[in-house]
Amino acid sequence: MDLALFYFLVLGFAIFMYVLLDGFDLGIGILYPWFNQEGERDHLMRSISHVWDGNETWLVFGGVVLFAAFPAAYAGITSTFYLPIMLMLFALIFRGVAFEYRFKSDTSRPYWDFAFSAGSAIAAFCQGMLLGSIVQGVPVGVDSLSSLHWLTPFSILTGFSVMAGYALLAACYLFMKSRGRIQDHAAKLGKRLLLITILAMIIVSLWTVASQVDIRQRWFSGLNFLWLSPLPIITLIVAVLAWRDLNSHATGTVHHEGRPFWYAATLFLLGFAGLVVGLFPYLIPRQLTFMEAASPDSSLLFLLPGICIFVPLICAYTLWGYRVFSGKVEDYQEGY
C-alpha cells in the first residue's frame, strides 16, 4: 500500500509537470495562427527553442512509471485508447520534425509552420479527449481498433477545453517573455482565453457531477462539499488575480509580468486536484484502483533507486534550463 501510494504520487507529479511544461509549449503552436506579422513566429519559436524537447521528458517518464509500477492500468489504457494515443504520438513527432526543419527552411517554411501548429493542436486535443474518456469511464469488452467509444460529446468538450487551457498558458508565457507588440497581443489573447478556460472548467465540472454518481457523492455527500469548497473558491480568486495582472498592462498601471503565468499554472494545479479528489483511488474509474494495478512489492522496490536518481535529475536540468534562459526572448535569441 505504501509503495503503491508512493508511485501513484510520483505518477501524478509526472503528469502535472508534463501538462504544465509541455502545455505552454503546445499552446505556442495553438496560438500560431494569431501571430502572423513579420518576425512574430520566429519570436514564438525562439521562446521555446531551449526547453521544448526537455519538457516532453516528463511524458516519457510518466509512461515509464505507469508501465513499470501499474502494468495492469498501462495495458488497459493503451489498449482501450489505442487510436487517440497513436494519433497524439504521431502529432508530437510531426510537430518535433516541423520545429527542427522550420529553422533550416526558406520557401517551405509556411508548410512547416502549418505542420507545427496542426501537430500542437491535434496533440493537445487528443490529450483532452483521453482525459474526458477516462473520467467518463472505460467500457468493458470493446474492440479498441474499431470502436469510437472515446469519441463522445463530453470528450470533445474536454479536448477543446485542454486546448484553451494550453493556449492560456502559452499566452501568459509570451506575456512574461516578450516586449512590445507581441506582449500586448499576448495580454489581449490571455484575457479572452482566461474567460474561455474558466467557463470550460465550470461546464466540465457541472457535467461530470451531473453524469457521474460516484464523483457526485464524493463531492456532495455529508460535509464533503464544505471541506472541498476551497478548491472552487481559490480557483475563482486566482482567475480574478490573473485577469487583473493581464488587464493592468492595457491600462498602463504597474504589473508583474511573470505572475499571470504562475496564476495560470495554479489554475491547472487546482483543476488537477479536483480531478484527483473525484477519482481517487482509481486509475481507471470504477474498474481498477492503484492498489489493484500495482506491480509486486519486489518490482516496486527494484524500481525505487531509479526513481530516486532520475526524478531529482530531471527536475534539476528542467530548472537549469528555465533559470539560464530566464530573461526576455530578445536577450538570448542569438544562436537560435
Side-chain angles (χ1 to χ4, degrees), residues 243-263:
W243 176 274
R244 184 194 64 184
D245 277 0
L246 288 170
N247 194 54
S248 67
H249 183 73
T251 60
T253 56
V254 178
H255 62 275
H256 193 290
E257 295 172 343
R259 275 202 306 243
F261 178 78
W262 296 111
Y263 287 145

Side-chain angles (χ1 to χ4, degrees), residues 13 17 21 51 54 57-58 307-324:
F13 176 71
M17 289 297 290
L21 298 180
V51 295
T57 305
W58 291 102
I307 296 294
C308 294
I309 292 172
F310 283 103
V311 169
L313 186 62
I314 298 172
C315 288
Y317 79 69
T318 298
L319 291 173
W320 176 83
Y322 286 95
R323 183 173 178 82
V324 169

Side-chain angles (χ1 to χ4, degrees), residues 13-42:
F13 176 71
I15 292 173
F16 176 72
M17 289 297 290
Y18 172 76
V19 167
L20 174 62
L21 298 180
D22 208 39
F24 76 78
D25 195 328
L26 292 170
I28 293 291
I30 295 171
L31 291 180
Y32 226 55
W34 285 269
F35 289 89
N36 54 13
Q37 295 189 30
E38 181 68 26
E40 286 186 340
R41 291 183 174 178
D42 290 339

Side-chain angles (χ1 to χ4, degrees), residues 24-25 47-56 173 318 321-322 325:
F24 76 78
D25 195 328
S47 72
I48 58 172
S49 59
H50 57 290
V51 295
W52 76 271
D53 47 354
N55 291 342
E56 293 182 353
Y173 178 76
T318 298
Y322 286 95
F325 298 96

Side-chain angles (χ1 to χ4, degrees), residues 20 43 57 84 109 145 147-148 164-165 183 210 237 293 298 302-303 306 313:
L20 174 62
H43 178 96
T57 305
R109 179 168 291 190
L145 295 180
S147 173
L148 296 179
Q183 188 182 56
I237 292 173
S298 57
F302 178 78
L303 293 170
L313 186 62

Side-chain angles (χ1 to χ4, degrees), residues 37-301:
Q37 295 189 30
E38 181 68 26
E40 286 186 340
R41 291 183 174 178
D42 290 339
H43 178 96
L44 265 62
M45 299 298 273
R46 290 190 181 102
S47 72
I48 58 172
S49 59
H50 57 290
V51 295
W52 76 271
D53 47 354
N55 291 342
E56 293 182 353
T57 305
W58 291 102
L59 177 63
V60 177
F61 177 72
V64 169
V65 172
L66 183 64
F67 172 77
F70 305 105
Y74 179 89
I77 291 172
T78 54
S79 61
T80 304
F81 301 110
Y82 180 83
L83 289 178
I85 289 174
M86 292 306 298
L87 182 60
M88 178 193 72
L89 292 177
F90 278 120
L92 289 173
I93 293 170
F94 200 46
R95 173 180 176 271
V97 172
F99 192 100
E100 295 297 337
Y101 275 87
R102 183 190 181 279
F103 284 112
K104 301 173 176 64
S105 63
D106 187 13
T107 58
S108 62
R109 179 168 291 190
Y111 300 104
W112 294 119
D113 282 344
F114 174 78
F116 176 75
S117 181
S120 301
I122 292 171
F125 184 71
C126 287
Q127 290 173 17
M129 281 203 307
L130 287 169
L131 172 63
S133 299
I134 291 173
V135 169
Q136 212 170 20
V138 179
V140 180
V142 298
D143 185 346
S144 59
L145 295 180
S146 62
S147 173
L148 296 179
H149 58 86
W150 44 268
L151 190 61
T152 66
F154 182 76
S155 67
I156 292 173
L157 171 64
T158 55
F160 283 116
S161 299
V162 167
M163 287 180 65
Y166 284 178
L168 171 64
L169 282 172
C172 294
Y173 178 76
L174 288 173
F175 181 73
M176 176 174 62
K177 304 291 284 185
S178 308
R179 297 188 179 102
R181 184 182 68 228
I182 294 179
Q183 188 182 56
D184 295 341
H185 194 30
K188 293 176 183 177
L189 289 173
K191 289 191 291 183
R192 297 171 191 170
L193 289 164
L194 178 62
L195 294 176
I196 294 172
T197 301
I198 292 299
L199 180 62
M201 291 177 72
I202 293 172
I203 295 174
V204 169
S205 300
L206 293 177
W207 193 331
T208 302
V209 168
S211 61
Q212 304 297 322
V213 176
D214 295 342
I215 295 178
R216 183 166 64 248
Q217 290 178 345
R218 177 69 60 86
W219 273 86
F220 294 102
S221 62
L223 296 176
N224 285 2
F225 185 73
L226 180 62
W227 295 110
L228 296 174
S229 60
L231 283 176
I233 293 173
I234 295 173
T235 299
L236 291 176
I237 292 173
V238 170
V240 170
L241 293 174
W243 176 274
R244 184 194 64 184
D245 277 0
L246 288 170
N247 194 54
S248 67
H249 183 73
T251 60
T253 56
V254 178
H255 62 275
H256 193 290
E257 295 172 343
R259 275 202 306 243
F261 178 78
W262 296 111
Y263 287 145
T266 304
L267 291 177
F268 270 83
L269 179 60
L270 292 166
F272 189 67
L275 180 66
V276 172
V277 166
L279 297 182
F280 187 85
Y282 288 99
L283 284 173
I284 301 179
R286 296 173 295 281
Q287 289 189 29
L288 196 64
T289 67
F290 72 87
M291 292 89 74
E292 297 167 339
S295 296
D297 285 349
S298 57
S299 298
L300 298 180
L301 286 170

